[in-house]
Amino acid sequence: MAEEAILGFLNNNEEITDSGQFSSELNLDHNEVVNVIKSLHGFRYIDVQDIKRETWVLTDEGKKYAAEGSPEVQLFLAVPEEGSISKDELQKKLAPSVFKIGCSQAGKNKWVEMGKQVSRKVQHVEDKVKGTLLQIQEGKEIDKDGITSLKARKLIAPQVWKGYSVKKGPNYAPERKKVATDLTRENLQNWEELEFKEYNFNAKGAPVDAGHLHPLLKVRKQFKDIFVQMGFEEMPTNNFVESSFWNFDALFQPQQHPARDSHDTFFLKAPSTTRTLPEDYVERVKQVHESGGYGSRGYNYDWKREEANKNLLRTHTTAVSSRMLYALAQQPFMPKKYFSIDRVFRNEAVDRTHLAEFHQIEGLICDRGLTLGDLIGVLEDFFSRLGMSKLKFKPAYNPYTEPSMEIFSYHEGLGKWVEIGNSGMFRPEMLLPMGLPEDVRVIAWGLSLERPTMILYGIDNIRDLFGHKVDLDLIKRNPICRIGI
Ligand code: PHE
């Protein structure tokens, strides 16, 4: 309707000077006209210019008087034509605000004589206030004086009215042509007859619902950044399958050790064994397990090569550390700081906090003359960057470290000490067979990625964090990771 009216009018006339006037002449809703104008303008059927006018609207009080009459007239009418009425009597007849305002306005207008008794001074009054309010309500123009007094009495308030003047635009036509908006097969077949809508390269695209990072990845990034800031290099952890040799034997973990049992370790059926190991090093590892050396008595048992050959899913990323340290020992010595964050596997009973796989974060420093004091200092630096500056260390046991320490941090939220990791100095029985110089010490620590992630994201069941039961919505909605703030 509005569209036909606008395009039709412009066909015979130069201009629509005022969309507001145009609307009321044709009895159209101005809002609708404005919408059509915007749309036609978008397709350049028309050119438009904004019109802004300050108009007035009635306040709630103004609306009331427009309907019921001004207080002064209400008061005047409540005074008898002849004789008088007592002020108290008059007050009872009117609403309190009407009485109060009515008295002052009717007095000012000299319509009534105010005393203990109230009487009329004129025979007839005209309700100009109501009249003007009604005119404003109908959108009529009002002279300045009328506006000033109503504004002072807060019966009207200013409002900016927005409209347009409209002329033909470059694409003007008396009727809007339907433009093709899609490059469909059909549209492409008769493209010559069609008019295509222009691309709007400024339009915002639909948000792409993809590419959300899992909380574990977000926390991993934070840990990575901390290691990198501390000058650590990342170790290559891209092999889940490892030989028992690198996972256990190289770490001076005896072959009867319970952790090597199939209850804790997943062994591979195929390929069940490793193909190559560095033979001379294997020989030195065998020696140190069986009879010691380097100041050690060893474990005094028959070390079996078949046991070392068995393939498994690595049970810790320390397997990668042993490979890296061995590789380091094959060159002239250079101090190193290494880290890794990757997946490990343990054949454990699955419960709220344990799965058969998790991610391990591991850091190590290899240099001459390092001490336990260095380890404690590095741990304090590392964990304070995570916002954990209250640490405690407890003696512990690992086959490959001596001394070993469990790391505890005071958790303000939980109000108690929680275990956050494990650490130690790699044993000479591990480092010397590799060929590292005698005065080289390696300090190392490890922790899980899942535990801090669950704490940071308030997740208490690991199955909500990892695995097929994870709610994808949680992945989409979870916030960025803010560690140590
Ligand atoms: N490998 C240990 C674990 O699985 C962690 C650790 C790494 C401990 C380095 C000491 C030194 O818990």
Side-chain angles (χ1 to χ4, degrees):
M1 259 253 297
E3 180 171 310
E4 285 144 44
I6 293 166
L7 293 176
F9 186 88
L10 289 178
N11 205 16
N12 306 318
N13 302 274
E14 185 71 5
E15 185 181 25
I16 296 172
T17 46
D18 183 324
S19 60
Q21 235 173 322
F22 183 78
S23 306
S24 58
E25 274 162 25
L26 295 180
N27 222 354
L28 293 169
D29 174 29
H30 188 243
N31 287 333
E32 192 195 334
V33 170
V34 165
N35 284 339
V36 172
I37 286 175
K38 283 183 183 161
S39 156
L40 288 172
H41 182 235
F43 289 95
R44 312 193 65 200
Y45 275 75
I46 55 172
D47 283 336
V48 302
Q49 241 160 3
D50 293 347
I51 305 175
K52 270 188 197 159
R53 259 201 303 271
E54 187 149 278
T55 59
W56 298 93
V57 286
L58 306 196
T59 61
D60 287 346
E61 194 183 355
K63 281 185 200 151
K64 222 167 140 199
Y65 300 162
E68 296 165 8
S70 65
E72 53 268 39
V73 169
Q74 290 187 48
L75 181 119
F76 179 83
L77 294 176
V79 177
E81 280 179 35
E82 311 225 330
S84 64
I85 181 170
S86 77
K87 206 171 175 180
D88 291 346
E89 203 61 29
L90 183 60
Q91 186 164 11
K92 276 187 213 147
K93 288 173 105 177
L94 299 165
S97 67
V98 171
F99 176 74
K100 195 173 155 235
I101 302 166
C103 282
S104 94
Q105 293 293 336
K108 229 191 267 171
N109 293 350
K110 303 204 167 65
W111 288 352
V112 291
E113 185 70 50
M114 297 293 287
K116 273 207 163 139
Q117 290 293 118
V118 184
S119 59
R120 289 189 180 185
K121 274 171 132 180
V122 292
Q123 278 318 303
H124 183 73
V125 297
E126 199 188 325
D127 198 343
K128 275 202 187 142
V129 169
K130 176 176 170 172
T132 319
L133 288 172
L134 285 174
Q135 278 180 314
I136 292 173
Q137 216 166 29
E138 284 160 25
K140 295 205 175 115
E141 289 278 330
I142 305 297
D143 66 72
K144 254 206 171 133
D145 293 346
I147 294 289
T148 320
S149 76
L150 293 183
K151 205 174 116 188
R153 288 178 68 175
K154 294 205 175 73
L155 303 183
I156 56 172
Q159 193 187 47
V160 178
W161 178 90
K162 284 186 192 147
Y164 297 96
S165 72
V166 181
K167 281 186 179 162
K168 281 180 191 160
N171 296 339
Y172 173 80
E175 219 177 290
R176 199 204 284 242
K177 262 185 255 154
K178 258 212 147 140
V179 290
T181 52
D182 290 310
L183 293 181
T184 60
R185 185 190 152 100
E186 286 74 23
N187 282 348
L188 289 174
Q189 274 168 342
N190 26 343
W191 65 272
E192 274 172 306
E193 287 130 54
L194 291 172
E195 194 179 313
F196 284 89
K197 184 182 174 185
E198 272 182 46
Y199 280 110
N200 177 4
F201 291 107
N202 296 319
K204 279 194 180 141
V208 180
D209 189 23
H212 301 275
L213 286 180
H214 189 280
L216 282 174
L217 296 179
K218 293 183 184 175
V219 179
R220 184 178 73 172
K221 170 79 167 65
Q222 298 292 319
F223 275 99
K224 237 182 200 190
D225 287 350
I226 289 173
F227 275 118
V228 170
Q229 282 158 15
M230 290 175 71
F232 283 66
E233 290 169 53
E234 188 164 16
M235 295 187 269
T237 49
N238 53 344
N239 59 309
F240 292 165
V241 173
E242 188 54 275
S243 66
S244 294
F245 179 78
W246 290 111
N247 195 83
F248 294 127
D249 297 281
L251 291 162
F252 197 53
Q253 195 147 327
Q255 294 187 327
Q256 318 75 21
H257 192 281
R260 295 180 70 144
D261 202 298
S262 66
H263 293 302
D264 278 351
T265 303
F266 290 111
F267 288 98
L268 257 70
K269 273 196 187 135
S272 63
T273 55
T274 185
R275 289 204 191 96
T276 52
L277 290 172
E279 292 304 331
D280 56 334
Y281 173 49
V282 171
E283 193 48 43
R284 292 196 295 276
V285 169
K286 173 183 157 78
Q287 281 294 321
V288 78
H289 277 243
E290 289 189 337
S291 52
Y294 320 100
S296 169
R297 279 189 283 156
Y299 290 120
N300 284 309
Y301 72 101
D302 271 345
W303 186 87
K304 293 204 177 66
R305 176 63 184 260
E306 307 83 71
E307 210 45 58
N309 283 347
K310 283 185 186 167
N311 276 337
L312 46 73
L313 292 179
R314 68 171 175 231
T315 63
H316 52 185
T317 46
T318 318
V320 180
S321 304
S322 66
R323 278 179 179 271
M324 291 300 283
L325 288 170
Y326 172 75
L328 194 64
Q330 307 319 300
Q331 295 157 19
F333 180 71
M334 244 201 305
K336 283 284 179 191
K337 295 198 235 181
Y338 286 138
F339 80 96
S340 67
I341 307 173
D342 209 341
R343 202 174 292 192
V344 300
F345 307 85
R346 290 183 192 174
N347 194 358
E348 275 177 312
V350 171
D351 63 24
R352 291 181 75 79
T353 50
H354 291 89
L355 292 177
E357 57 188 295
F358 65 100
H359 293 77
Q360 216 167 40
I361 303 168
E362 181 149 327
L364 68 87
I365 302 177
C366 174
D367 202 352
R368 297 184 193 271
L370 293 174
T371 64
L372 195 66
D374 291 307
L375 176 58
I376 291 172
V378 169
L379 291 176
E380 271 167 357
D381 184 4
F382 177 78
F383 284 102
S384 73
R385 289 166 193 256
L386 297 166
M388 305 178 192
S389 34
K390 245 181 172 178
L391 297 186
K392 253 196 209 175
F393 303 99
K394 186 178 143 195
Y397 172 76
N398 292 309
Y400 40 90
T401 54
E402 183 61 36
S404 310
M405 305 187 301
E406 276 169 4
I407 311 159
F408 288 78
S409 159
Y410 189 76
H411 192 291
E412 298 291 345
L414 302 174
K416 62 174 183 185
W417 293 91
V418 289
E419 195 197 329
I420 50 169
N422 186 4
S423 67
M425 302 186 69
F426 284 137
R427 296 184 76 105
E429 290 98 325
M430 169 182 164
L431 301 180
L432 293 175
M434 289 176 170
L436 285 167
E438 242 180 81
D439 58 344
V440 166
R441 303 281 179 272
V442 179
I443 55 180
W445 71 99
L447 59 147
S448 91
L449 177 63
E450 278 74 1
R451 188 155 183 168
T453 305
M454 286 173 76
I455 294 174
L456 282 166
Y457 283 90
I459 295 169
D460 66 353
N461 189 334
I462 198 156
R463 279 165 280 205
D464 294 336
L465 179 70
F466 195 88
H468 64 284
K469 286 190 181 154
V470 169
D471 175 9
L472 278 183
D473 237 29
L474 172 114
I475 310 297
K476 287 179 190 163
R477 280 184 290 101
N478 65 55
I480 57 165
C481 171
R482 287 150 64 95
I483 258 178
I485 301 172

